[in-house]
């Protein structure tokens, strides 16, 4: 673990992550009509309303944190690979960080978030590719920015990839995270504030460090 992170209290670790989300309140969410923060809060609220456990609620809240990591050299994976590149459209519009799923999951692992939270975050792109492969209506219902990133993320899974994904012990929860993600793009919806989840995040980090 990064020595700076190792010296941080659970409260400081959560404050660092939550500040990234709070700063995104004025940041467009990859071409959608809501902010990055609104998207995160809507996803978490869907998870909480559906009775998800705390590790899963945190995954819904933080699934896109890879778009917001401030110091990309601290967000490398365990092999030292840096994922800090950007998806762009033909007119060079930024539509997100390439491999933000892996980047965000590794960033949260270093901060001590639950293993389950990180695994769910790391698979929310694969889950989109899975759902696109099994259901043409799902793909048709994706927003235009999400369709653009799907192409850049590898497109729908192949039959062999689908079978492998379905064997995952967290398969159903990973798919559900994706469904909450897709549903969390509604302009004008008021969700519980970010601080609603602060004690939950602190409590779960304390269980892992």
């Amino acid at each position: 673990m990064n020595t700076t992170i190792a010296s941080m209290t659970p409260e400081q670790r959560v404050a660092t992550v939550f500040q990234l989300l709070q700063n995104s309140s004025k940041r467009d969410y990859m071409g959608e009509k809501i902010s990055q923060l609104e998207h995160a809060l809507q996803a978490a609220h869907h998870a909480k309303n559906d009775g998800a456990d705390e590790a899963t609620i945190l995954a819904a809240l933080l699934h896109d944190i890879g778009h917001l990591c401030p110091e990309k050299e601290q967000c490398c994976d365990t092999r030292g690979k840096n994922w800090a590149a950007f998806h762009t459209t033909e007119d060079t519009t930024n539509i997100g960080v390439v491999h933000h799923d892996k980047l965000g999951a590794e960033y949260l692992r270093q901060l001590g978030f639950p293993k389950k939270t990180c695994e769910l975050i790391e698979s929310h792109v694969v889950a989109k590719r899975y759902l696109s492969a099994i259901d043409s209506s799902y793909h048709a219902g994706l927003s235009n920015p999400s369709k653009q990133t799907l192409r850049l993320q590898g497109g729908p899974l192949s039959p062999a990839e689908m079978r492998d994904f379905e064997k995952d012990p967290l398969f159903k929860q990973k798919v559900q995270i994706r469904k909450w993600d897709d549903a969390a793009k509604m302009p004008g919806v008021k969700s519980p504030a970010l601080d609603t989840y602060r004690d939950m995040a602190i409590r779960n980090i304390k269980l892992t460090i």
Side-chain angles (χ1 to χ4, degrees), residues 18 67 71 114 183 188 198:
F18 277 30
H67 288 306
E71 298 180 23
R198 189 176 297 273

Side-chain angles (χ1 to χ4, degrees), residues 21 34-45 60-63 184:
L21 277 179
I34 62 173
S35 72
Q36 187 87 51
L37 176 60
E38 288 172 321
H39 174 64
L41 294 176
Q42 286 185 27
H45 192 46
L61 178 70
L62 301 173
H63 70 277

